[in-house]
Amino acid sequence: MSLTVDYTNKKPTRTGFGDEILALGRDRPEIFVVDCDIAKSCQTTAFSKELPAQHVNVGIAEQNGAGVAAGLATTGKIPFVVTYAVFGSLRMGEQIRQSICYPKLNVKIACSHGGLTPGNDGGSHQAIEDMGTMRGLPGMTVVMPADYNSARKLVREAADWAGPMFLRFTRDAVPEIYGPDETFEIGKAKLLSEGDDLAIIANGDTLRLAIEAAHALESEGVSVRVVDMHTIKPLDVDEVRRCMTTGRIVTVEDHTIMHGLGAAVSQVVAAEGGARVAQIGIQDQFGQSATYEELLEMNSITVEGILGAAKSLLD
């Protein structure tokens, strides 16, 4: 496998969102940002300064932000509601369900600080169940890019996608995996390497760990299929089926294992059979105040954790 992870060039995926939403806004006056008073953290300050007519700050009032965005969508605008993932999925949950998903409005919920990356902010700010919560809403699309370049490309794709969408970004810097010319399609997984013995399906900030684990396994003679499942809804079921031909799948996510990527993959496998699945992710527990890397370690979301799960399936 020739794919590498560039740790010398690290950026948060929220920066990719901020850069791309500004580029989109310059070219498309129908693009709006609805900020919940955290533009600096979510990287939309430049958008607000350069394109004030396309920017609305509702203050620390996330439910109102969802309502304002829904109203904008009824007039043909394409609003991106911007806040932290824990608030954009849970505090806004009822409004997203009733005012956005139920009428099938073209609103994008763009959230930074997904998963464990809030680190020292503690369990109250760590969105560990956001993608699963959004995945359960009818008509909602759920996406998490793996690095800066994929974030930019997927945000651009999101602007052309009809209907509600939840986009999740990291606060912490993550290494570069993709080049700036890589292409992405929402709902279609990105195959990074072919393999016959085992498949590793990851997304977001855990993709780097999946790649490193695959390199380690291949050095031991194990043929590994590596997949970036950046869209967990709609899930690329055809790619899951291709992974099932190996007979063994490890899913990796910075999210609770209860109803995220691993659960979505397991539903397909349970319905069709033919493979075993091991899930690496956040256990049934809240986070705590610690560094991002320490929090990943506490949940075995590490290269060593992936290797242990893989070898248990290979035995």
Side-chain angles (χ1 to χ4, degrees), residues 80-101:
F80 284 72
V81 186
V82 182
T83 184
Y84 292 162
V86 70
F87 305 136
S89 60
L90 299 178
R91 185 176 292 173
M92 289 167 55
E94 180 185 356
Q95 288 71 30
I96 293 171
R97 182 185 189 273
Q98 302 298 102
S99 299
I100 296 172
C101 288

Side-chain angles (χ1 to χ4, degrees), residues 1 191-201 210-211 213-219 221-227 246 248 250 306-307 310 314:
M1 186 173 69
L191 177 63
L192 303 186
S193 71
E194 301 273 5
D196 300 320
D197 297 327
L198 176 87
I200 304 177
I201 304 176
I211 293 169
H215 281 300
L217 288 166
E218 290 194 340
S219 70
V222 180
S223 175
V224 184
R225 187 179 187 90
V226 179
V227 173
T246 70
R248 308 166 189 87
V250 178
I306 298 169
L307 292 175
L314 290 163

